[in-house]
Amino acid sequence: QVQLVESGGGLVQAGGSLRLSCAASGRAYSTYAMGWFRQAPGKEREFVARITGSGGNTYYSDSVKGRFTISRDSAKNTVYLQMNSLKPEDTAVYYCAGDLQGNFYRTRVYQYAYWGQGTQVTVSS
């Protein structure tokens, strides 16, 4: 079992930055791939970024590529999402998620077994 707790959300102006953190506890964390998803009001939850278990590979949705960076610190059991050049359309609840299949490129919600409670990110124009 893995528990995930997100933090770092908040209100920021367009063009600003935020860094989200996801603290993980539980066995075998380092073998899991970790992902970030987001869900805006009235919309489906969508993939944002993924980092493999080894941390050697990262993947991004087209909408955030070049602006967001996912990373992980295995010593701290924490995954980060650095978000720069934020836009109003980035406003959503952001969730981190853990995938038992650590080394594949997977972007579907159902492929992730563990989820945090979410943190709100609001970008004002």
Side-chain angles (χ1 to χ4, degrees):
Q1 188 73 13
V2 174
Q3 292 79 43
L4 304 175
V5 179
E6 303 98 334
S7 61
L11 173 64
V12 64
Q13 288 188 333
S17 298
L18 281 175
R19 188 177 80 157
L20 305 183
S21 300
C22 174
S25 61
R27 63 183 179 90
Y29 158 77
S30 61
T31 65
Y32 296 177
M34 297 297 296
W36 285 97
F37 288 74
R38 66 186 182 186
Q39 187 166 18
K43 295 188 176 181
E44 293 186 353
R45 193 169 299 189
E46 66 173 2
F47 170 78
V48 174
R50 173 182 173 95
I51 187 166
T52 54
S54 65
N57 292 296
T58 57
Y59 307 92
Y60 301 92
S61 67
D62 289 342
S63 61
V64 307
K65 197 172 298 181
R67 300 187 297 122
F68 291 11
T69 302
I70 188 171
S71 61
R72 68 192 299 165
D73 184 335
S74 295
K76 296 182 178 180
N77 279 6
T78 301
V79 175
Y80 303 98
L81 185 68
Q82 178 66 45
M83 306 185 295
N84 298 328
S85 301
L86 283 161
K87 305 175 182 180
E89 50 263 45
D90 294 318
T91 295
V93 177
Y94 283 71
Y95 298 89
C96 72
D99 179 6
L100 297 173
Q101 301 295 328
N103 294 315
F104 296 96
Y105 174 48
R106 286 151 59 101
T107 64
R108 303 295 181 90
V109 169
Y110 71 86
Q111 293 171 323
Y112 289 73
Y114 303 107
W115 291 85
Q117 83 289 350
T119 185
Q120 177 70 46
V121 172
T122 303
V123 184
S124 64
S125 57

